[in-house]
Amino acid sequence: DVYLGLLEGDVEVSFEEATLPLTAHQTGTTLLADLRQGVNATVALTLKESDNAIRQTLFAGTAGGSVVGTSSTVYGWGDKKQGLSSIIDAARLILHPVALDDADLSRDMCFWKAYPLISSIVFSGENPEVMAIEFKCYIDDRKASGINLFMFGDHTQTGLTA
């Protein structure tokens, strides 16, 4: 797990359930039911004054990479991973309320496979550096089907697998 550090503003968790409306010729346009087609979740947040190690993990570990130069290792974005599935680089994202002790996981939100999409970094001589990120969340087929996208509670306990 990677500690992301300080946050600026709110953390927004969005949920979506895609459905297909079911109607019948006999009842016209009256909605009879909806067929569930899938679920999605995203987490949007802004990091504040992130350090170099966090930036390198987020950039090189996603759509970018790192290169060893003559005097240092540099990292960034390029086309190295073009055509590859992003789920390969997805990792567990845990949201833990700061009001709770570290050992109290009762209100944690755990997203089993979250892929960071960095949308911007703002540099300023007058304000802290901020980095806006949206995490796209994927199904983890190794987890029980009722919680394989995300869950509330103690994610470290046994018995959560499929």
Side-chain angles (χ1 to χ4, degrees), residues 103-125:
D104 183 354
L105 307 178
S106 63
R107 291 182 44 214
D108 280 16
M109 287 186 77
C110 177
F111 300 85
W112 302 112
K113 292 182 181 262
Y115 180 77
L117 298 165
I118 302 164
S119 60
S120 68
I121 300 178
V122 178
F123 300 100
S124 171

Side-chain angles (χ1 to χ4, degrees), residues 72-138:
S72 66
T73 300
V74 298
Y75 61 92
W77 266 2
D79 63 0
K80 176 181 178 180
K81 296 182 179 180
Q82 199 77 17
L84 299 177
S85 173
S86 58
I87 199 167
I88 295 166
D89 295 316
R92 187 171 55 181
L93 175 66
I94 300 165
L95 303 179
H96 179 77
V98 295
L100 299 180
D101 290 334
D102 289 347
D104 183 354
L105 307 178
S106 63
R107 291 182 44 214
D108 280 16
M109 287 186 77
C110 177
F111 300 85
W112 302 112
K113 292 182 181 262
Y115 180 77
L117 298 165
I118 302 164
S119 60
S120 68
I121 300 178
V122 178
F123 300 100
S124 171
E126 299 175 0
N127 298 305
E129 172 193 316
V130 292
M131 182 182 346
I133 304 173
E134 180 178 273
F135 289 88
K136 194 178 246 188
C137 302
Y138 302 110

Side-chain angles (χ1 to χ4, degrees), residues 56-72:
Q56 184 171 359
T57 298
L58 291 171
F59 275 97
T62 58
S66 58
V67 175
V68 178
T70 57
S71 61
S72 66

